[in-house]
Amino acid sequence: MRKILIVGAGQAGLQTGLSLLEHGYDVTVMSARTPEEIRGGRVMSTQAMFHTALQYERDYKLNLWEDQAPKIRGVGVSIAGSEGGRDLDWVGMLDNHAQSVDQRIKMAGWLELFEDRGGKVIFHGVTTSDLDSLTRHYELVLIAAGKGELVQLFGRNPDRSPYSTTQRVLSVSYVHGAERRPEHPDMDAVRFNVTPGVGELFVIPGVTLSGPCEIPFFEGLPGGPLDCWSDRPAAGEHWKRMLELMRQYFPWEYERFKHAELTDSQATLSGGYPPVVRHPVGELPSGGIVLGMADVVVANDPITGQGSNNASKCAASYLDSILERGDRPFDREWMERTFERYWSVVEPVTTWTNAMLQPPPEHVMNLFTQAAETPAIRQRFVNAFDDPADFGNWFLDPELAEQYLREVARG
């Protein structure tokens, strides 16, 4: 039985570990926190996951909260106009629903499930010097802990990393008590609101420790009015500040949220980081090597909501590479090829995400405007959140966009 160590107990690490157990591998996961500490801790992300990523969970019976989480049926786009109104406002329908489960619920539950299914868990933080000795006891070590000292083992790849500074300042709250959305009160949808020159406000229906909730999520331009979290306000002040910014810059959302309250005292988060692609193989002082996965090696800005989706797809891709390897050694060449296989999946996501960090070009604004009148354009745009490779066929290139609009016009 091949022995594999996974450092990190997030979406990528635990999905990989649980999947490998089903195939008879001897898997150990190292987690810095216990399930109780995760449930009692701060929210970790917004995690709207689309069909392909959700199906990977279903394949291994990991979709434990599918009946509890609101089913997200669409994705809406609003662009602010003058005097608090909107120049653009539409929603497109997803072919298959999306969902957002608070990672405090999912990761705590998956850790317990991992032990129940025969996995070994070591609750301990890991340093580089710890890893130096651990690599001698396992045939493969995967690093799935996207923060902290271990990330420094993986050098930045400048050829795949166009940005070297933070592109958005992030701010999140989980809340109860928002009014139903007047545009489509009987349907849950992710809403993507844009105020040019200020930033974006996403609103994601989800489920948290205390039941269904909504997750407002600011992506503020650095130096702008949404860049105001460096003092790390307490939870109550954090939500109060988000509400006031909504009132000023996204008033149609403020009207829904003005009486909402935080779901709990740990339901806020703020921060930011430069998008980066790193080299996938880390080398330890002893000469041992480890393979990075998910946001350890590809950390996109969350503006396109793909972080958890990428983590799930990375876990599925790495699983296939491990299974296909059979009894042969997990050497450097295999690690490089394993990452390149995943890169073929995530590269279109990275290209699209990096493009969305820039002001929308004329052809994109034209597509959004035409989408208001044409359901087919709306549907293609929102379903590409599940398959971002499709954006390269029509959305990202002005000539392909024009060709697509002509095809739509011809019916």
Side-chain angles (χ1 to χ4, degrees):
M1 188 182 295
R2 305 203 75 171
K3 292 181 66 176
I4 293 179
L5 173 66
I6 300 171
V7 180
Q11 176 76 39
L14 284 173
Q15 183 180 317
T16 304
L18 283 156
S19 305
L20 285 170
L21 286 180
E22 292 297 306
H23 291 278
Y25 285 73
D26 180 342
V27 188
T28 299
V29 165
M30 296 192 74
S31 171
R33 295 188 294 167
T34 67
E36 292 74 20
E37 289 170 335
I38 293 170
R39 288 192 183 94
R42 188 172 291 280
V43 294
M44 293 180 272
S45 73
T46 54
Q47 73 273 310
M49 295 181 69
F50 294 86
H51 175 69
T52 299
L54 293 176
Q55 189 59 45
Y56 288 137
E57 296 184 359
R58 296 180 190 119
D59 290 343
Y60 287 90
K61 297 181 173 57
L62 307 180
N63 56 325
L64 309 183
W65 303 272
E66 185 133 14
D67 293 338
Q68 301 170 34
K71 289 182 170 49
I72 298 169
R73 304 287 187 187
V75 177
V77 174
S78 295
I79 298 181
S82 58
E83 299 180 357
R86 284 178 276 183
D87 283 347
L88 204 63
D89 178 36
W90 50 257
V91 62
M93 301 301 294
L94 291 164
D95 293 340
N96 299 284
H97 74 259
Q99 289 193 309
S100 174
V101 177
D102 186 339
Q103 291 196 341
R104 294 178 296 180
I105 300 175
K106 182 190 280 187
M107 299 316 151
W110 276 5
L111 262 175
E112 292 164 343
L113 182 67
F114 183 76
E115 287 192 291
D116 290 345
R117 292 185 178 178
K120 301 167 189 168
V121 182
I122 300 172
F123 294 107
H124 199 284
V126 184
T127 65
T128 302
S129 58
D130 296 329
L131 270 185
D132 223 9
S133 59
L134 287 169
T135 53
R136 292 194 289 272
H137 301 289
Y138 296 90
E139 295 176 76
L140 172 65
V141 176
L142 298 171
I143 306 300
K147 298 174 183 173
E149 175 186 328
L150 298 186
V151 176
Q152 303 310 313
L153 289 169
F154 306 92
R156 176 175 179 270
N157 184 336
D159 295 335
R160 292 173 171 174
S161 305
Y163 300 114
S164 57
T165 60
T166 300
Q167 298 298 300
R168 291 293 188 276
V169 179
L170 315 174
S171 173
V172 176
S173 289
Y174 283 45
V175 300
H176 289 315
E179 296 179 8
R180 295 297 296 176
R181 188 172 294 283
E183 302 96 322
H184 41 81
D186 299 325
M187 182 187 77
D188 285 311
V190 171
R191 296 293 299 203
F192 173 37
N193 303 283
V194 181
T195 293
V198 173
E200 298 83 21
L201 168 61
F202 293 84
V203 180
I204 303 169
V207 64
T208 185
L209 302 166
S210 49
C213 66
E214 296 217 42
I215 308 170
F217 169 34
F218 279 138
E219 284 249 335
L221 290 167
L226 304 185
D227 179 1
C228 59
W229 309 100
S230 60
D231 61 339
R232 298 289 185 268
E237 171 58 26
H238 183 112
W239 175 234
K240 180 180 176 183
R241 200 177 295 179
M242 283 190 74
L243 269 179
E244 175 56 24
L245 292 166
M246 259 191 228
R247 188 185 66 76
Q248 292 184 54
Y249 299 105
F250 305 91
W252 59 92
E253 294 288 3
Y254 172 77
E255 288 302 314
R256 295 185 57 235
F257 284 98
K258 60 186 178 184
H259 299 306
E261 297 180 347
L262 291 173
T263 60
D264 59 86
S265 63
Q266 302 288 343
T268 60
L269 189 67
S270 60
Y273 55 87
V276 63
V277 178
R278 297 186 177 92
H279 296 291
V281 181
E283 187 166 339
L284 296 159
S286 64
I289 55 175
V290 295
L291 174 61
M293 64 184 310
D295 57 0
V296 170
V297 285
V298 182
N300 292 327
D301 187 278
I303 193 169
T304 53
Q306 296 293 309
S308 294
N309 296 278
N310 288 345
S312 178
K313 292 173 181 176
C314 183
S317 178
Y318 278 28
L319 173 68
D320 288 343
S321 293
I322 292 168
L323 297 181
E324 291 168 11
R325 192 61 173 169
D327 295 329
R328 290 169 288 169
F330 299 115
D331 54 22
R332 181 185 288 271
E333 181 186 358
W334 174 85
M335 290 183 178
E336 298 278 2
R337 282 193 282 109
T338 293
F339 173 74
E340 290 301 320
R341 182 180 190 173
Y342 168 56
W343 178 247
S344 70
V345 174
V346 79
E347 190 275 338
V349 185
T350 301
T351 300
W352 168 47
T353 303
N354 287 338
M356 293 294 283
L357 291 168
Q358 296 297 315
E362 183 177 349
H363 79 274
V364 168
M365 288 306 300
N366 187 34
L367 285 168
F368 282 159
T369 301
Q370 297 286 329
E373 305 298 329
T374 310
I377 303 174
R378 298 200 294 268
Q379 187 165 355
R380 187 169 186 181
F381 176 75
V382 305
N383 280 288
F385 278 74
D386 181 44
D387 177 19
D390 186 46
F391 283 118
N393 298 325
W394 66 290
F395 185 81
L396 295 174
D397 181 89
E399 292 185 8
L400 292 177
E402 184 62 30
Q403 177 183 326
Y404 172 63
L405 288 177
R406 286 196 298 270
E407 292 170 359
V408 170
R410 287 196 298 268

